[in-house]
Amino acid sequence: MTQLRVAAIAGLTPLEKLDEEPFLVDSRAQHAQCASWAEKRGYVITAELLTHALPFDHRSLWKDADAGRVDLFVAPSRRVLDRALDSPDAFAAECARRGLRLETTGLDEPEYDATAKARLHRRLSMPTAGYDGT
């Protein structure tokens, strides 16, 4: 049986929104949720997309699907899709037109206490040279 290939969609949100929307800022956690969802179903993540208000017909969304490397798209939630795409509904319609599924994980967003927010802030604001993300 062939594994379904998944493109995970995360929304890019500025660090300035950390206090109000920590999960939307934490794209790593968004992708991790998608990966967990896919793994539980025996699917494989073949693409990770990180976007903000990207037009639903933008080439970068479709290049892997057009190349046959994606069978479905997944995002953690509608909130993430609303951040990631300019029109989630138009994107869903285009997925249907192309015969691709669009799913959300249905998982709860993680809780972020002050320590978790500080850790996330530190990770996102550190210079990347030599930094391993922990």
Side-chain angles (χ1 to χ4, degrees), residues 41-121:
R41 287 157 180 77
Y43 303 164
V44 61
I45 301 287
T46 57
E48 288 186 339
L49 306 170
L50 179 59
T51 69
H52 174 77
L54 192 66
F56 77 93
D57 57 353
H58 195 279
R59 178 177 155 20
S60 66
L61 289 171
W62 301 105
K63 68 179 180 175
D64 289 320
D66 290 342
R69 292 187 296 266
V70 168
D71 301 306
L72 70 96
F73 291 91
V74 66
S77 65
R78 175 62 191 230
R79 276 175 22 96
V80 171
L81 284 174
D82 288 342
R83 176 67 59 173
L85 305 171
D86 71 339
S87 176
D89 293 332
F91 181 72
E94 184 63 16
C95 285
R97 187 186 75 72
R98 292 172 178 244
L100 298 169
R101 289 173 27 206
L102 172 61
E103 307 258 349
T104 57
T105 66
L107 300 171
D108 291 335
E109 293 183 7
E111 295 288 325
Y112 290 83
D113 60 12
T115 302
K117 287 180 183 179
R119 193 175 315 124
L120 179 58
H121 185 275

Side-chain angles (χ1 to χ4, degrees), residues 8-13 22-36 48-50 76 80 110 112 119-120 122-124 126 128 131-134:
I9 300 172
L12 184 60
T13 302
F23 184 63
L24 293 181
V25 171
D26 193 356
S27 58
R28 183 184 286 177
Q30 293 173 46
H31 276 138
Q33 238 188 37
C34 293
S36 173
E48 288 186 339
L49 306 170
L50 179 59
V80 171
Y112 290 83
R119 193 175 315 124
L120 179 58
R122 187 172 49 255
R123 177 171 54 85
L124 293 175
M126 291 287 287
T128 57
Y131 184 60
D132 69 0
T134 57

